[in-house]
Structure formats: structure tokens, C-alpha cells
Short mmCIF file of all heavy atoms in Angstrom, two decimals:
data_model
loop_
_atom_site.label_atom_id
_atom_site.label_comp_id
_atom_site.label_asym_id
_atom_site.label_seq_id
_atom_site.Cartn_x
_atom_site.Cartn_y
_atom_site.Cartn_z
N GLY G 1 67.88 243.43 129.91
CA GLY G 1 67.11 242.28 130.39
C GLY G 1 66.18 241.72 129.33
O GLY G 1 64.98 241.65 129.57
N ILE G 2 66.73 241.36 128.19
CA ILE G 2 65.91 240.81 127.10
C ILE G 2 66.38 239.39 126.84
O ILE G 2 67.56 239.16 126.55
CB ILE G 2 66.04 241.64 125.81
CG1 ILE G 2 65.71 243.10 126.06
CG2 ILE G 2 65.14 241.07 124.73
CD1 ILE G 2 65.94 243.99 124.87
N TYR G 3 65.45 238.44 126.93
CA TYR G 3 65.74 237.02 126.70
C TYR G 3 64.67 236.43 125.80
O TYR G 3 63.50 236.82 125.86
CB TYR G 3 65.74 236.27 128.04
CG TYR G 3 66.71 236.82 129.03
CD1 TYR G 3 66.30 237.76 129.98
CD2 TYR G 3 68.03 236.43 129.03
CE1 TYR G 3 67.19 238.30 130.89
CE2 TYR G 3 68.94 236.96 129.93
CZ TYR G 3 68.51 237.89 130.86
OH TYR G 3 69.40 238.42 131.75
N THR G 4 65.06 235.47 124.97
CA THR G 4 64.09 234.77 124.14
C THR G 4 64.65 233.40 123.77
O THR G 4 65.83 233.12 123.99
CB THR G 4 63.73 235.59 122.87
OG1 THR G 4 62.64 234.96 122.21
CG2 THR G 4 64.91 235.73 121.94
N GLN G 5 63.77 232.55 123.23
CA GLN G 5 64.17 231.19 122.83
C GLN G 5 63.56 230.87 121.48
O GLN G 5 62.59 231.50 121.05
CB GLN G 5 63.67 230.17 123.84
CG GLN G 5 64.26 230.32 125.21
CD GLN G 5 63.67 229.31 126.19
OE1 GLN G 5 62.52 228.92 126.07
NE2 GLN G 5 64.48 228.91 127.16
N GLY G 6 64.12 229.86 120.81
CA GLY G 6 63.57 229.40 119.55
C GLY G 6 64.07 228.01 119.23
O GLY G 6 65.12 227.59 119.73
N ASP G 7 63.34 227.29 118.40
CA ASP G 7 63.71 225.92 118.06
C ASP G 7 64.69 225.83 116.89
O ASP G 7 65.36 224.82 116.72
CB ASP G 7 62.45 225.10 117.71
CG ASP G 7 61.57 224.87 118.92
OD1 ASP G 7 62.13 224.77 120.05
OD2 ASP G 7 60.35 224.79 118.76
N SER G 8 64.78 226.88 116.07
CA SER G 8 65.67 226.87 114.91
C SER G 8 66.37 228.22 114.81
O SER G 8 66.00 229.19 115.48
CB SER G 8 64.86 226.61 113.64
OG SER G 8 63.99 227.70 113.38
N VAL G 9 67.37 228.30 113.93
CA VAL G 9 68.08 229.56 113.73
C VAL G 9 67.13 230.62 113.19
O VAL G 9 67.16 231.78 113.62
CB VAL G 9 69.29 229.35 112.78
CG1 VAL G 9 69.92 230.68 112.41
CG2 VAL G 9 70.31 228.43 113.42
N GLU G 10 66.27 230.23 112.26
CA GLU G 10 65.31 231.18 111.69
C GLU G 10 64.37 231.71 112.78
O GLU G 10 64.06 232.90 112.83
CB GLU G 10 64.50 230.53 110.57
CG GLU G 10 65.31 230.18 109.36
CD GLU G 10 66.08 228.87 109.50
OE1 GLU G 10 65.74 228.05 110.39
OE2 GLU G 10 67.04 228.68 108.75
N GLU G 11 63.91 230.80 113.65
CA GLU G 11 62.99 231.20 114.71
C GLU G 11 63.67 232.11 115.73
O GLU G 11 63.06 233.08 116.20
CB GLU G 11 62.40 229.98 115.40
CG GLU G 11 61.32 230.32 116.41
CD GLU G 11 60.66 229.11 117.04
OE1 GLU G 11 61.15 227.97 116.86
OE2 GLU G 11 59.64 229.31 117.72
N ILE G 12 64.92 231.83 116.07
CA ILE G 12 65.60 232.67 117.06
C ILE G 12 65.83 234.07 116.48
O ILE G 12 65.69 235.07 117.19
CB ILE G 12 66.91 232.04 117.58
CG1 ILE G 12 67.34 232.71 118.90
CG2 ILE G 12 68.06 232.13 116.61
CD1 ILE G 12 66.46 232.46 120.06
N ARG G 13 66.11 234.17 115.19
CA ARG G 13 66.27 235.49 114.56
C ARG G 13 64.96 236.28 114.64
O ARG G 13 64.96 237.46 114.98
CB ARG G 13 66.69 235.33 113.11
CG ARG G 13 68.12 234.89 112.95
CD ARG G 13 68.46 234.69 111.50
NE ARG G 13 69.84 234.27 111.34
CZ ARG G 13 70.27 233.48 110.38
NH1 ARG G 13 69.43 233.01 109.48
NH2 ARG G 13 71.53 233.15 110.30
N SER G 14 63.87 235.63 114.32
CA SER G 14 62.56 236.28 114.37
C SER G 14 62.20 236.67 115.80
O SER G 14 61.71 237.78 116.05
CB SER G 14 61.50 235.34 113.80
OG SER G 14 60.23 235.87 113.93
N ASN G 15 62.46 235.78 116.75
CA ASN G 15 62.13 236.05 118.15
C ASN G 15 62.98 237.17 118.74
O ASN G 15 62.51 237.93 119.59
CB ASN G 15 62.26 234.78 118.98
CG ASN G 15 61.19 233.77 118.66
OD1 ASN G 15 60.24 234.05 117.93
ND2 ASN G 15 61.33 232.56 119.18
N VAL G 16 64.23 237.29 118.30
CA VAL G 16 65.08 238.39 118.76
C VAL G 16 64.49 239.72 118.31
O VAL G 16 64.37 240.67 119.10
CB VAL G 16 66.54 238.21 118.26
CG1 VAL G 16 67.32 239.51 118.39
CG2 VAL G 16 67.24 237.10 119.04
N LYS G 17 64.10 239.81 117.05
CA LYS G 17 63.49 241.05 116.55
C LYS G 17 62.21 241.38 117.32
O LYS G 17 61.98 242.53 117.70
CB LYS G 17 63.17 240.92 115.06
CG LYS G 17 64.37 240.98 114.17
CD LYS G 17 63.92 240.88 112.72
CE LYS G 17 65.06 240.93 111.76
NZ LYS G 17 64.59 240.85 110.36
N GLU G 18 61.39 240.37 117.54
CA GLU G 18 60.14 240.58 118.28
C GLU G 18 60.40 241.02 119.71
O GLU G 18 59.73 241.91 120.24
CB GLU G 18 59.31 239.30 118.27
CG GLU G 18 57.97 239.44 118.94
CD GLU G 18 57.16 238.16 118.89
OE1 GLU G 18 57.43 237.28 118.06
OE2 GLU G 18 56.24 238.04 119.72
N ALA G 19 61.40 240.42 120.37
CA ALA G 19 61.72 240.77 121.75
C ALA G 19 62.21 242.22 121.85
O ALA G 19 61.84 242.94 122.78
CB ALA G 19 62.78 239.82 122.30
N VAL G 20 63.01 242.65 120.88
CA VAL G 20 63.48 244.04 120.87
C VAL G 20 62.30 244.99 120.67
O VAL G 20 62.19 246.01 121.35
CB VAL G 20 64.56 244.25 119.79
CG1 VAL G 20 64.89 245.73 119.61
CG2 VAL G 20 65.83 243.48 120.16
N ASP G 21 61.40 244.65 119.75
CA ASP G 21 60.21 245.48 119.53
C ASP G 21 59.37 245.61 120.80
O ASP G 21 58.86 246.69 121.11
CB ASP G 21 59.35 244.92 118.40
CG ASP G 21 59.94 245.18 117.03
OD1 ASP G 21 60.79 246.09 116.91
OD2 ASP G 21 59.54 244.48 116.08
N CYS G 22 59.22 244.52 121.53
CA CYS G 22 58.41 244.53 122.75
C CYS G 22 59.09 245.32 123.88
O CYS G 22 58.42 245.91 124.71
CB CYS G 22 58.13 243.11 123.22
SG CYS G 22 57.01 242.20 122.16
N TYR G 23 60.40 245.30 123.90
CA TYR G 23 61.16 245.94 124.98
C TYR G 23 61.08 247.46 124.91
O TYR G 23 60.98 248.13 125.92
CB TYR G 23 62.62 245.49 124.91
CG TYR G 23 63.50 246.01 126.02
CD1 TYR G 23 63.47 245.43 127.28
CD2 TYR G 23 64.36 247.07 125.80
CE1 TYR G 23 64.28 245.90 128.30
CE2 TYR G 23 65.18 247.55 126.82
CZ TYR G 23 65.14 246.96 128.06
OH TYR G 23 65.95 247.42 129.06
N PHE G 24 61.14 248.01 123.70
CA PHE G 24 61.18 249.46 123.53
C PHE G 24 59.78 250.01 123.31
O PHE G 24 59.05 249.56 122.44
CB PHE G 24 62.08 249.84 122.36
CG PHE G 24 63.53 249.62 122.64
CD1 PHE G 24 64.14 248.45 122.26
CD2 PHE G 24 64.26 250.57 123.32
CE1 PHE G 24 65.48 248.24 122.53
CE2 PHE G 24 65.59 250.37 123.59
CZ PHE G 24 66.22 249.20 123.20
N GLU G 25 59.44 251.02 124.09
CA GLU G 25 58.17 251.71 123.91
C GLU G 25 58.28 252.61 122.68
O GLU G 25 59.37 252.88 122.18
CB GLU G 25 57.84 252.53 125.15
CG GLU G 25 57.64 251.69 126.39
CD GLU G 25 57.36 252.53 127.61
OE1 GLU G 25 57.16 253.76 127.48
OE2 GLU G 25 57.35 251.97 128.71
N ASP G 26 57.15 253.09 122.22
CA ASP G 26 57.13 253.92 121.01
C ASP G 26 57.97 255.18 121.13
O ASP G 26 58.50 255.67 120.14
CB ASP G 26 55.69 254.30 120.65
CG ASP G 26 54.87 253.10 120.22
OD1 ASP G 26 55.47 252.11 119.75
OD2 ASP G 26 53.64 253.14 120.35
N THR G 27 58.10 255.71 122.33
CA THR G 27 58.85 256.96 122.51
C THR G 27 60.34 256.74 122.72
O THR G 27 61.10 257.70 122.74
CB THR G 27 58.29 257.73 123.73
OG1 THR G 27 58.40 256.90 124.89
CG2 THR G 27 56.84 258.12 123.50
N MET G 28 60.76 255.51 122.88
CA MET G 28 62.17 255.20 123.14
C MET G 28 62.94 255.00 121.83
O MET G 28 62.39 254.51 120.85
CB MET G 28 62.29 253.92 123.98
CG MET G 28 61.67 254.03 125.36
SD MET G 28 61.64 252.47 126.24
CE MET G 28 63.36 252.24 126.60
N ALA G 29 64.21 255.41 121.83
CA ALA G 29 65.06 255.20 120.66
C ALA G 29 65.40 253.71 120.54
O ALA G 29 65.85 253.10 121.51
CB ALA G 29 66.32 256.02 120.79
N ARG G 30 65.15 253.15 119.39
CA ARG G 30 65.42 251.72 119.14
C ARG G 30 66.77 251.55 118.46
O ARG G 30 67.23 252.43 117.74
CB ARG G 30 64.34 251.14 118.23
CG ARG G 30 62.98 251.15 118.85
CD ARG G 30 61.92 250.77 117.83
NE ARG G 30 60.61 250.86 118.43
CZ ARG G 30 59.93 249.80 118.86
NH1 ARG G 30 60.42 248.60 118.72
NH2 ARG G 30 58.75 249.95 119.42
N PRO G 31 67.40 250.39 118.66
CA PRO G 31 68.68 250.15 117.97
C PRO G 31 68.46 250.01 116.47
O PRO G 31 67.43 249.51 116.02
CB PRO G 31 69.16 248.83 118.58
CG PRO G 31 67.93 248.18 119.10
CD PRO G 31 67.00 249.27 119.49
N LYS G 32 69.44 250.46 115.70
CA LYS G 32 69.36 250.35 114.24
C LYS G 32 69.91 249.00 113.77
O LYS G 32 69.50 248.51 112.73
CB LYS G 32 70.13 251.49 113.60
CG LYS G 32 69.52 252.84 113.89
CD LYS G 32 70.30 253.95 113.25
CE LYS G 32 69.86 255.27 113.80
NZ LYS G 32 69.06 256.08 113.07
N LEU G 33 70.81 248.41 114.54
CA LEU G 33 71.41 247.12 114.21
C LEU G 33 71.28 246.17 115.40
O LEU G 33 71.38 246.60 116.55
CB LEU G 33 72.88 247.27 113.86
CG LEU G 33 73.23 248.14 112.65
CD1 LEU G 33 74.74 248.32 112.56
CD2 LEU G 33 72.69 247.52 111.38
N ILE G 34 71.10 244.89 115.10
CA ILE G 34 71.04 243.87 116.15
C ILE G 34 72.02 242.76 115.78
O ILE G 34 71.64 241.77 115.15
CB ILE G 34 69.62 243.30 116.31
CG1 ILE G 34 68.59 244.42 116.53
CG2 ILE G 34 69.57 242.30 117.47
CD1 ILE G 34 67.15 243.95 116.47
N PRO G 35 73.30 242.91 116.14
CA PRO G 35 74.25 241.83 115.89
C PRO G 35 73.91 240.61 116.75
O PRO G 35 73.62 240.74 117.94
CB PRO G 35 75.60 242.41 116.30
CG PRO G 35 75.41 243.89 116.30
CD PRO G 35 73.96 244.10 116.65
N VAL G 36 73.90 239.44 116.15
CA VAL G 36 73.58 238.19 116.84
C VAL G 36 74.82 237.31 116.78
O VAL G 36 75.25 236.90 115.70
CB VAL G 36 72.37 237.49 116.20
CG1 VAL G 36 72.08 236.18 116.89
CG2 VAL G 36 71.15 238.40 116.24
N HIS G 37 75.41 237.03 117.95
CA HIS G 37 76.63 236.24 118.04
C HIS G 37 76.28 234.83 118.55
O HIS G 37 75.75 234.70 119.66
CB HIS G 37 77.64 236.88 118.98
CG HIS G 37 78.12 238.21 118.50
ND1 HIS G 37 79.18 238.33 117.63
CD2 HIS G 37 77.66 239.47 118.72
CE1 HIS G 37 79.37 239.61 117.36
NE2 HIS G 37 78.45 240.31 118.01
N PHE G 38 76.59 233.82 117.76
CA PHE G 38 76.35 232.44 118.17
C PHE G 38 77.57 231.97 118.95
O PHE G 38 78.68 231.98 118.44
CB PHE G 38 76.09 231.55 116.95
CG PHE G 38 74.74 231.79 116.35
CD1 PHE G 38 74.52 232.83 115.47
CD2 PHE G 38 73.67 230.99 116.71
CE1 PHE G 38 73.27 233.05 114.93
CE2 PHE G 38 72.40 231.22 116.19
CZ PHE G 38 72.21 232.25 115.29
N VAL G 39 77.32 231.58 120.21
CA VAL G 39 78.37 231.17 121.13
C VAL G 39 78.36 229.65 121.21
O VAL G 39 77.32 229.03 121.42
CB VAL G 39 78.14 231.77 122.54
CG1 VAL G 39 79.23 231.34 123.49
CG2 VAL G 39 78.04 233.28 122.46
N ARG G 40 79.52 229.06 121.03
CA ARG G 40 79.62 227.61 121.10
C ARG G 40 80.71 227.22 122.08
O ARG G 40 81.87 227.59 121.93
CB ARG G 40 79.97 227.07 119.71
CG ARG G 40 80.06 225.59 119.68
CD ARG G 40 80.30 225.11 118.27
NE ARG G 40 80.95 223.82 118.35
CZ ARG G 40 81.65 223.29 117.41
NH1 ARG G 40 81.82 223.92 116.28
NH2 ARG G 40 82.20 222.12 117.56
#
């Protein structure tokens, strides 16, 4: 259940990283990779 928005490709990349950081607590295992697929 992680959603985010951005006005540019650079902003959406930054917001995705920030959203993942906010989702996981310090004690939770975080993903090592975040593949981003642009759907058209």
C-alpha cells in the first residue's frame, strides 16, 4: 500500500525512495532494489 506522485521523472524517483523509507520502520527489512516500471 505505497503510493506517491511527482511532477517530473526526477521527482517521482525521489518520491518513490522517500515513500519506501517512510513505509518501513527501522526494525523492518528494507528492499535492496526498487525497480520502477513506466507504464504507458
